[in-house]
Amino acid sequence: MNGREIYGRLVTTGEYVYVQTSGEHIHRIIPAEKQEIGSSEEELWIAPGLIDLQINGFAGYDLNMAEADLEQRVEAIGLMTREVLKSGTTSFCPTVITAGFDQIHSSMTAIRMACERDPIIDNCILGIHLEGPYLSDQDGPRGAHPLEHVKDPDWEEFCAWQEAAGGRIRIVTLAPERSGAVPMIKKLVQAGILVCIGHCAANHDEITAAVDAGARMSTHLGNAAHSHLPRHPNYIWSQLAEDRLIPSIISDGHHLHPSVVKVMARAKNNHIVLVSDAVHLAYMQPGIYKTHVGGEVELLPSGRLQTVANPLVLAGAAVSLAECVQNFKRFTQSDLHTAFKLATLIPAHLIGEPLLGDVQTNGIADILTFTWNEAEDKLNLQTVIKRGETIFSAAKA
């Protein structure tokens, strides 16, 4: 594979550089002078490829299809991966949610088979995020996870799913108040798995015990919660106050009010992770759809996905991670470097991928170029490069 040279301004430092790639890696980064651009052109920025630790589907392809055979699941994973790449997310964790044993087993098997068959998929999928079924059974914290399948942690059951996945499960979200949660967390951590607290109704001591056992992240903090909580303490405050926990948040403008995003960012000193938590209707045309989770839903032009029966109820997230980065910058008045760091460097470190998440010499050549429209506070993606290969070019779209 031939190398290339990209001129632009690095998001990470603000400096003008030439980034030279060789094969799948970044060969070197050379300082440059700012070049003159025409009146019709905008400044080109260079950023690491985005890393999404939680994504359920995209562009019509669903990772949690209830009625699909194994080959259909494998095909959907491949098609979804290519659509996700075009949106600027170059690495992600497909998220398998609560279901019966056989359905989860089939999803795990399908992801393994897709990775084994296609190097592009294998390079994009960092690991699987198992969100459930060891979650709260209470309305609110349970979210859209089916009540009949939530349960206490079961190590042998998990091991069967991990075997089906070929060892690819790298993140597990569970509720620390479930019976056996703390021993389960210890076993997962010993196996090298990132454990997250989520979909829980835990008290302060239960959250502390989970963190003491090795839990390191909060899954989409502020969502999957009761509509009314005690002023204090409650499980949102307790997780925000726990310095050892890094929360993930969905900054789509619908799951959390912009003011909440701003407060969480300040409370954690911007040490948080942005996730899309996108469902299969992300990047689809606005309209009304029938889904296996939520029934009849409506996707609005704003990206809000809501149930038709009650428009106040969300039916999932339907934006890309790039849009979440864009929104976070606007909600918090942060700079581009900070906003991108939350979707690149921090998730890369959290999941243990030191060659990703930064534009660095000898790092993996997962690179985005984009322009930024200051008037609209909007990111305009120009190219997506995965391991040195151009996957998307706005000029050719």
Side-chain angles (χ1 to χ4, degrees), residues 63 72-81 107 110-111 114 121 125:
L63 289 170
Q72 287 174 319
R73 292 178 189 274
V74 172
E75 181 183 17
I77 293 161
L79 294 170
M80 187 196 96
T81 297
S107 295
I111 295 170
I121 299 172
I125 292 180

Side-chain angles (χ1 to χ4, degrees), residues 48-343:
L50 301 179
I51 300 172
D52 198 341
L53 299 185
Q54 187 172 11
I55 181 167
N56 311 276
F58 203 77
Y61 303 107
D62 191 355
L63 289 170
N64 295 280
M65 294 180 287
E67 298 178 1
D69 62 30
L70 191 58
E71 286 301 327
Q72 287 174 319
R73 292 178 189 274
V74 172
E75 181 183 17
I77 293 161
L79 294 170
M80 187 196 96
T81 297
R82 283 159 174 79
E83 293 299 322
V84 169
L85 274 169
K86 293 176 188 176
S87 74
T89 295
T90 55
S91 301
F92 67 95
C93 292
T95 302
V96 176
I97 66 169
T98 302
F101 175 86
D102 290 340
Q103 184 177 326
I104 292 178
H105 192 277
S106 180
S107 295
M108 296 297 178
T109 303
I111 295 170
R112 171 181 57 78
M113 291 173 60
C115 290
E116 289 172 348
R117 292 179 183 181
D118 190 333
I120 292 178
I121 299 172
D122 196 34
N123 287 333
C124 289
I125 292 180
L126 297 179
I128 299 168
H129 183 163
L130 177 62
E131 186 187 7
Y134 314 128
L135 309 176
S136 172
D137 58 4
Q138 296 185 29
D139 290 344
R142 193 181 72 254
H145 292 251
L147 178 61
E148 65 268 26
H149 294 306
V150 295
K151 60 175 74 173
D152 291 333
D154 184 327
W155 177 251
E156 296 304 320
E157 179 180 63
F158 169 79
C159 288
W161 290 331
Q162 181 69 298
E163 183 179 4
R168 287 177 173 81
I169 302 175
R170 293 184 69 182
I171 306 177
V172 172
T173 292
L174 52 70
E177 72 272 20
R178 299 289 320 202
S179 177
V182 167
M184 183 73 163
I185 292 170
K186 291 179 179 178
K187 289 181 178 179
L188 290 168
V189 171
Q190 190 173 19
I193 291 168
L194 173 63
V195 178
C196 309
I197 295 172
H199 288 275
C200 76
N203 62 37
H204 184 85
D205 290 341
E206 288 165 337
I207 289 169
T208 300
V211 178
D212 287 343
R216 294 171 57 206
M217 191 170 100
S218 299
T219 292
H220 50 52
L221 189 61
N223 297 118
H226 294 98
S227 56
H228 297 283
L229 286 170
R231 282 184 304 163
H232 49 77
N234 64 55
Y235 46 78
I236 295 177
W237 287 121
S238 294
Q239 290 178 80
L240 275 177
E242 176 53 75
D243 292 334
R244 293 171 291 176
L245 280 177
I246 298 176
S248 70
I249 64 169
I250 309 167
S251 59
D252 62 353
H254 309 297
H255 277 76
L256 296 174
H257 189 273
S259 64
V260 177
V261 173
K262 189 173 185 178
V263 168
M264 286 184 172
R266 287 182 174 181
K268 288 293 187 178
N269 194 27
N270 289 324
H271 205 56
I272 59 182
V273 172
L274 300 181
V275 295
S276 72
D277 199 16
V279 299
H280 69 288
L281 294 178
Y283 265 40
M284 298 289 282
Q285 291 296 316
I288 294 176
Y289 297 86
K290 287 187 177 181
T291 67
H292 63 274
V293 176
E296 198 170 54
V297 301
E298 183 175 10
L299 178 61
L300 303 181
S302 66
R304 179 181 174 87
L305 184 63
Q306 60 195 30
T307 63
V308 171
N310 184 356
L312 296 177
V313 176
L314 291 171
V319 300
S320 68
L321 186 55
E323 290 172 281
C324 290
V325 171
Q326 174 182 287
N327 290 339
F328 180 87
K329 181 182 181 299
R330 184 169 69 251
F331 297 163
T332 63
Q333 292 82 54
S334 65
D335 54 32
L336 274 173
H337 167 56
T338 298
F340 265 88
K341 183 179 179 181
L342 275 51

Side-chain angles (χ1 to χ4, degrees), residues 7-23:
Y7 167 80
R9 192 175 180 186
L10 271 183
V11 161
T12 49
T13 64
E15 299 172 337
Y16 294 91
V17 297
Y18 292 101
V19 176
Q20 294 180 341
T21 68
S22 177

